[in-house]
């Protein structure tokens, strides 16, 4: 364990010294080094792209084989394939939260108001709305005369 830690500490310092010594050399070697690094990076990116393409092709073939097997089972047991609904014309929401749809000021205000209300306030508001509804129903059934007498309509 101690050897590992010592190697990590000394390795970082040695790399820093080697990097400084390498930059002291002639200008030509650094240009060729940069060109070699760029070429190596391009080759690495090409290899990654090719590897990704092979992976996708492999998975496509596997999915085709699975679909053939599924179809065989469907045929054997006379099951109809489910029809998948076509996607709507709206663009799909990306997984990236930075690319999500922005909310309108009304939506933001409604969310803020809902967050501010606690359980007691919600209960109070529901009771008030129920009382106003009952009051309105009573006023519809009875006609109030200015003398304080109620007349049934």
């Amino acid at each position: 364990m101690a050897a590992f830690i010592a190697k990590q500490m000394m390795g970082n310092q040695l790399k820093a010294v080697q990097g400084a010594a390498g930059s002291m050399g002639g200008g030509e070697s650094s240009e060729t080094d940069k060109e070699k690094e760029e070429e190596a990076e391009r080759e690495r990116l090409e290899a990654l792209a090719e590897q990704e393409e092979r992976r996708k092709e492999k998975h496509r073939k596997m999915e085709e084989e699975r679909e053939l097997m599924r179809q065989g089972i469907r045929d054997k047991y006379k099951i109809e394939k489910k029809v998948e609904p076509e996607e709507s014309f709206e663009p799909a929401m990306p997984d990236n939260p930075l690319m999500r749809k922005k909310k309108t000021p009304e939506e933001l205000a409604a969310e803020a108001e809902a967050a501010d209300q606690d359980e007691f306030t919600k209960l109070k508001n529901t009771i008030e709305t129920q009382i106003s509804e009952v009051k309105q129903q009573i006023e519809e059934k009875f006609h109030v005369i200015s003398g304080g007498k109620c007349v049934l309509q």
Side-chain angles (χ1 to χ4, degrees):
M1 181 73 171
F4 174 74
I5 295 172
K7 184 177 180 183
Q8 288 294 321
M9 290 172 51
M10 294 303 291
N12 291 337
Q13 291 175 356
L14 286 174
K15 287 179 184 176
V17 170
Q18 288 174 348
S23 64
M24 287 184 193
E28 272 185 44
S29 64
S30 65
E31 289 178 15
T32 56
D33 288 344
K34 287 181 183 179
E35 289 174 4
K36 288 179 182 177
E37 288 175 8
E38 289 174 1
E39 181 65 28
E41 182 65 19
R42 272 188 259 128
E43 289 176 2
R44 186 183 71 83
L45 291 176
E46 288 174 6
L48 284 174
E50 183 180 333
Q51 182 181 12
E52 181 68 15
E53 189 175 312
R54 282 184 288 182
R55 185 190 67 80
K56 286 182 180 180
E57 181 64 21
K58 175 184 170 188
H59 286 281
R60 186 189 62 76
K61 286 180 182 178
M62 286 173 46
E63 189 59 33
E64 285 179 1
E65 291 173 3
R66 289 178 184 155
E67 186 57 35
L68 286 173
M69 187 179 297
R70 290 182 197 120
Q71 189 59 44
I73 293 170
R74 283 189 211 109
D75 293 341
K76 180 178 179 180
Y77 294 105
K78 297 176 184 158
I79 301 172
E80 292 183 21
K81 184 177 179 180
K82 292 182 181 179
V83 178
E84 297 177 3
E86 292 186 25
E87 295 182 20
S88 63
F89 293 106
E90 295 180 22
M93 294 299 289
D95 293 336
N96 186 352
L98 297 176
M99 299 297 292
R100 68 179 184 270
K101 180 185 172 203
K102 293 184 180 179
K103 295 181 180 178
T104 63
E106 293 82 19
E107 291 174 334
L108 292 173
E111 285 182 4
E113 183 179 332
D116 290 342
Q117 291 182 347
D118 58 350
E119 291 298 319
F120 181 74
T121 309
K122 289 179 184 178
L123 180 62
K124 179 183 156 205
N125 289 342
T126 55
I127 291 172
E128 287 177 352
T129 55
Q130 289 175 353
I131 289 174
S132 64
E133 288 174 3
V134 169
K135 186 176 179 182
Q136 185 180 8
Q137 288 175 355
I138 291 173
E139 288 175 353
E140 289 174 1
K141 294 198 185 238
F142 293 97
H143 180 68
V144 178
I145 301 176
S146 62
K149 296 181 182 177
C150 292
V151 179
L152 185 60
Q153 287 183 345

